Amino acid sequence: MARRRHVPGPTPEEVAAAVTTSRSDGRVTVAVAGEIDVATAPLLAEALHEALSDGATRVEADFSEVSFCDCSGLNVLLRAERDARAGGRTLRVAGVRSPQVRRLLEMTGTTSMIRAEETGAGAAPRPDPPAGPTPASPPSAP
């Protein structure tokens, strides 16, 4: 009989993401760092839900320190964007620097829907669009 080696999952100290929230001038910023996957997406979901429930009219998810995001994280962003729109609020994903995250958003056609943009040195922030339905655009050709 073959022996199987048990490989334990990550401990709480090894979870590969951190989420912090700050408020300024009616806007809530949810800063995310690390990897957003099935294990860490609930952290992001909770923070975005709290930010949208807090009465802020604008919520920004700062992805400048996110190195990876899978479909779990994408689903969290899409649900939060839907909830924001339904409540007359806006959600913007800013600071997308990771080529992997940018490609995920481009390949799924969700870049414009969640208003994802790259920010940082030299990038001018775009004004928030009016709240309401935002049509999804088809993915652009590579």
Side-chain angles (χ1 to χ4, degrees):
M1 178 172 204
R3 291 183 138 180
R4 292 190 178 162
R5 196 170 120 210
H6 174 71
V7 179
T11 65
E13 295 80 27
E14 297 171 328
V15 172
V19 179
T20 58
T21 303
S22 62
R23 180 183 259 287
S24 175
D25 298 326
R27 176 176 59 199
V28 175
T29 300
V30 177
V32 189
E35 299 178 359
I36 306 301
D37 58 20
V38 70
T40 59
L43 295 171
L44 176 60
E46 181 179 346
L48 290 174
H49 175 75
E50 287 179 15
L52 290 168
S53 299
D54 194 22
T57 57
R58 296 179 300 160
V59 175
E60 180 175 282
D62 178 356
F63 265 45
S64 61
E65 298 298 321
V66 173
S67 58
F68 175 83
C69 183
D70 69 5
C71 62
S72 302
L74 179 63
N75 282 326
V76 166
L77 292 173
L78 293 175
R79 277 193 300 272
E81 196 278 334
R82 182 194 64 211
D83 293 346
R85 225 178 334 121
R89 295 173 172 87
T90 58
L91 171 69
R92 181 176 68 164
V93 178
V96 178
R97 294 181 181 163
S98 164
Q100 184 278 328
V101 175
R102 200 167 27 250
R103 182 147 171 84
L104 171 70
L105 299 173
E106 289 168 357
M107 294 300 293
T108 57
T110 55
T111 303
S112 64
M113 190 162 120
I114 58 174
R115 295 177 287 286
E117 59 188 55
E118 185 173 348
T119 58
R126 287 190 256 166
D128 288 327
T134 304
S137 61
S140 58

